[in-house]
Amino acid sequence: MPVVLVHGVPETPEVWDELRPLLGRDSVALSLPGFGTPLPEGVAPTKEFYADWLIGALKELEGPIDLVGHDWGALLTARVATTRSVQLRSWVMDVACIYHPSYVWHDMAQTWQTPEAGEAFMAHALTTPPERPDSTASAMRGWRVPEEHALAMSGRIDRRMCDAILSLYRSAAPNVYADWGTTTGTPESPGLVLIPKKDHVEDPEMSQQTADILGARYVELPYLGHWWMLEDPDHSAWELTTFWDSLD
């Protein structure tokens, strides 16, 4: 049974590189179109596009699948699980608070959703050297991303990724639940919500409530932040494998 890992924003599949060897099983790290890979001609990279793309990618794999999503990958994971469109053995997500009915987007997301302000933000990100305190790399360091990963992740951001991010976030107003939460049911497969309490976008109470809505377990990661798989890949792998082993 393969483990399928889905990255978030602004990322590429390399975000999983340190975690994958520790999982003790076969894994596939998917690359969202526009994030280090081309976008299909004429496609608008909205949340609906990415959800449909992920469903199609998963259907090409031999299941059942243990699906793990981070950041936007987590929201797409919830969409797949709640539509029951792919046979999953299990699913795991973080930032479940963003899937909550009452969630209000964080300040950076609201900037990206605002015409002109979002474009100005991305232009700054693309042109600011990583050593400057107002660079994307410096922001990632502040969000607990280890130095080498902060430099590598920020270095992979290009115009195509920036445009995809703006389109994606603008398709998710006022929040994700407004479209997706009202049109789906409880997942059939068991789920786990990870709650890294040092995550700058996390709301633990909302994430716990979302876990309840989705019929999932939840586990807190008291000392980890948004990029938990980079901060402590050993413990992250232990949490995932413990969950999977409990299903055998």
Side-chain angles (χ1 to χ4, degrees):
M1 289 169 283
V3 175
V4 180
L5 303 151
V6 189
H7 67 83
V9 170
E11 300 166 5
T12 57
E14 285 83 358
V15 74
W16 302 110
D17 282 356
E18 292 202 21
L19 178 71
R20 291 176 67 188
L22 305 174
L23 297 178
R25 59 195 75 198
D26 292 337
S27 65
V28 177
L30 298 179
S31 181
L32 297 177
F35 292 78
T37 59
L39 272 167
E41 190 71 28
V43 162
T46 64
K47 70 182 192 303
E48 303 301 339
F49 163 73
Y50 283 112
D52 291 343
W53 176 88
L54 179 56
I55 289 168
L58 294 175
K59 285 183 175 179
E60 293 181 2
L61 301 174
E62 184 176 352
I65 290 165
D66 290 315
L67 183 60
V68 181
H70 162 61
D71 189 82
W72 259 102
L75 304 176
L76 298 174
T77 291
R79 180 62 168 171
V80 171
T82 55
T83 56
R84 307 174 185 175
S85 47
V86 178
Q87 184 184 15
L88 300 178
R89 188 180 83 117
S90 71
W91 55 274
V92 178
M93 70 182 297
D94 58 11
V95 295
C97 57
I98 299 179
Y99 206 80
H100 192 279
S102 301
Y103 182 72
V104 176
W105 279 111
H106 53 83
D107 290 346
M108 185 177 296
Q110 291 186 44
T111 297
W112 292 343
Q113 289 170 330
T114 304
E116 297 187 8
E119 282 75 7
F121 182 102
M122 294 304 181
H124 179 82
L126 289 171
T127 57
T128 305
E131 62 273 11
R132 279 182 39 174
D134 57 342
S135 68
T136 301
S138 291
M140 288 179 172
R141 294 183 195 102
W143 295 326
R144 304 169 63 92
V145 179
E147 174 70 16
E148 64 178 299
H149 296 292
L151 290 171
M153 287 170 60
S154 63
R156 297 186 187 106
I157 298 172
D158 58 14
R159 171 57 62 186
R160 179 170 53 199
M161 184 187 294
C162 289
D163 290 345
I165 291 170
L166 296 181
S167 176
L168 175 58
Y169 274 86
R170 290 171 185 178
S171 73
N175 62 25
V176 174
Y177 192 91
D179 288 332
W180 286 355
T182 59
T183 60
T184 54
T186 302
E188 292 180 324
S189 48
L192 176 68
V193 169
L194 300 177
I195 305 177
K197 298 193 73 174
K198 300 296 184 181
D199 188 339
H200 58 289
V201 301
E202 182 61 86
D203 183 317
E205 184 176 355
M206 273 192 175
S207 286
Q208 291 174 22
Q209 291 172 0
T210 302
D212 291 340
I213 291 170
L214 298 178
R217 310 177 198 179
Y218 69 84
V219 61
E220 293 185 345
L221 308 175
Y223 307 109
L224 298 182
H226 190 71
W227 282 280
W228 42 272
M229 74 295 294
L230 295 175
E231 286 185 62
D232 192 342
D234 289 289
H235 184 72
S236 299
W238 183 85
E239 292 287 5
L240 293 173
T241 55
T242 298
F243 171 59
W244 294 326
D245 289 347
S246 74
L247 307 177
D248 294 334

